[in-house]
Amino acid sequence: MNQPRRVENLHTDKGKVPVYATGVVEQPWDGYSADDHAVWRLLYARQRELLVGRASRAFLEAQDAMGMTPDAIPRFEDLNRVLSSATGWTLVGVEGLLPELDFFDHLANRRFPVTWWIRRPDQVDYIEEPDLFHDLFGHVPLLMNPVFADYMEAYGRGGVKAHGIGADALQFLTRLYWYTVEFGLIREEGGLRIYGSGIVSSSGESVHCLESDAPNRIGFDLERIMRTRYRIDTYQKTYFVIDSFEQLFEATRPDFAPIYARLAEQPSLPAGTVLDGDRVFNRGTGEGWASDGDV
Ligand code: PHE
Ligand code: FE
């Protein structure tokens, strides 16, 4: 089989151009270099140390249960044995960002696309596009959780549906993914914890989201999230906090079509907005109270 491609964004004089790749590839495990494994080892060790006491219990336990270790880049095959018997999900290798509909179709069928290649040593602190570390370390563990696993499948189906409705619907749904799957916080006994993959795969944001005074931490509210714009080039200005994965799954059960139609009539909110009635959380204790609006 041919070596799969490493598909990254193009940088031109007009700025960044995202490049998409379709299709599923075999993980070329024997082709990983010593540098590739070293990047995995460094990022894995650094993040695990930061995440104990910061990431949600479900995330940390699942990562151990899957048999991920810092020693070497895991083989998708090995992870799939554990994952498929736990929740019926399988990992499939991809070359880079997928077109939206391909991505939704994978999720709807309980297949999670994982980028086969890992960032280079000079990219350990920041890379724009998802790579193997973000996908595998960040996204895959929670697929071991039965409720989260069902949520991701439902999201995929919802994506196929939103794609058929139009661009506004897709934008609202993408915001939901962003503020839950990528940048979500969850309330646990000891206080707020991280479950979003975009946070757990970033050392800076893993600390910032819980310990900085700058961002808002606001209670999960479906329509509130769908109205809220997000930043892709800086740490988030707002994180949304769920009480449990059950809450997330239940809240997203209704038909979104009428919600999309209603939201299309309302202005979207800048990322840092605090509204009257938002449930605002204290970063230390995780206690929440109703806000009386922007300060
Ligand atoms: N209930 C949503 C719909 O009707 C589907 C969905 C479920 C979307 C879970 C996101 C997450 O479109
Ligand atoms: Fe991601």
Side-chain angles (χ1 to χ4, degrees):
M1 190 178 178
N2 293 335
Q3 177 76 7
R5 296 168 308 154
R6 176 182 181 118
V7 176
E8 295 171 82
N9 293 334
L10 272 177
H11 293 267
T12 71
D13 51 2
K14 292 207 184 65
K16 183 188 86 173
V17 183
V19 185
Y20 297 96
T22 52
V24 161
V25 298
E26 202 75 44
Q27 182 189 26
W29 199 87
D30 293 323
Y32 290 131
S33 65
D35 265 358
D36 290 334
H37 289 295
V39 166
W40 169 267
R41 194 178 315 120
L42 182 145
L43 287 171
Y44 190 103
R46 187 164 88 181
Q47 285 311 103
R48 278 295 295 216
E49 193 174 320
L50 276 173
L51 290 175
V52 173
R54 290 194 176 93
S56 91
R57 210 165 357 101
F59 176 87
L60 294 170
E61 287 175 3
Q63 217 166 42
D64 294 335
M66 291 198 80
M68 282 192 200
T69 71
D71 305 343
I73 293 175
R75 294 178 191 262
F76 298 172
E77 228 185 303
D78 292 341
L79 299 178
N80 271 337
R81 269 195 295 276
V82 186
L83 183 59
S84 65
S85 67
T87 58
W89 276 79
T90 48
L91 312 179
V92 293
V94 294
E95 297 178 307
L97 271 186
L98 294 175
E100 248 153 5
L101 196 53
D102 295 64
F103 179 64
F104 295 143
D105 181 66
H106 281 303
L107 298 186
N109 291 286
R110 283 173 112 83
R111 293 187 302 263
F112 195 82
V114 176
T115 307
W116 72 265
W117 53 268
I118 195 161
R119 65 194 74 182
R120 296 186 308 268
D122 61 296
Q123 297 171 310
V124 286
D125 291 315
Y126 183 72
I127 179 169
E128 259 169 30
E129 53 270 270
D131 72 330
L132 178 138
F133 184 72
H134 169 77
D135 290 339
L136 211 52
F137 183 95
H139 282 284
V140 168
L142 279 182
L143 297 172
M144 293 282 284
N145 178 284
V147 180
F148 194 83
D150 287 350
Y151 172 69
M152 290 295 279
E153 179 193 334
Y155 183 88
R157 290 176 195 278
V160 174
K161 186 169 119 188
H163 194 267
I165 298 178
D168 279 354
L170 266 182
Q171 187 184 52
F172 296 139
L173 192 69
T174 302
R175 289 177 182 157
L176 175 64
Y177 191 88
W178 189 267
Y179 281 121
T180 60
V181 178
E182 294 289 354
F183 290 96
L185 298 182
I186 185 168
R187 217 153 56 99
E188 285 184 355
E189 269 133 64
L192 302 184
R193 296 286 184 270
I194 306 162
Y195 73 92
S197 328
I199 308 177
V200 295
S201 57
S202 155
S203 59
E205 196 145 7
S206 292
V207 176
H208 175 86
C209 71
L210 295 176
E211 279 145 67
S212 164
D213 280 323
N216 311 310
R217 300 166 190 87
I218 296 176
F220 175 89
D221 175 314
L222 181 70
E223 296 192 26
R224 170 75 169 80
I225 286 179
M226 287 186 173
R227 289 178 64 196
T228 308
R229 297 201 287 265
Y230 58 81
R231 301 290 300 254
I232 60 166
D233 54 344
T234 62
Y235 295 154
Q236 300 307 303
K237 298 204 177 306
T238 299
Y239 301 95
F240 287 93
V241 182
I242 59 173
D243 291 321
S244 63
F245 296 124
E246 285 80 3
Q247 177 202 23
L248 179 59
F249 187 66
E250 287 306 317
T252 52
R253 217 189 258 280
D255 180 8
F256 285 2
I259 302 178
Y260 296 146
R262 189 163 64 241
L263 291 179
E265 304 301 313
Q266 288 177 252
S268 60
L269 303 169
T273 310
V274 179
L275 294 177
D276 258 13
D278 277 341
R279 186 168 164 227
V280 177
F281 287 93
N282 177 295
R283 70 185 164 94
T285 63
E287 267 151 51
W289 63 88
S291 150
D292 48 14
D294 251 324
V295 269

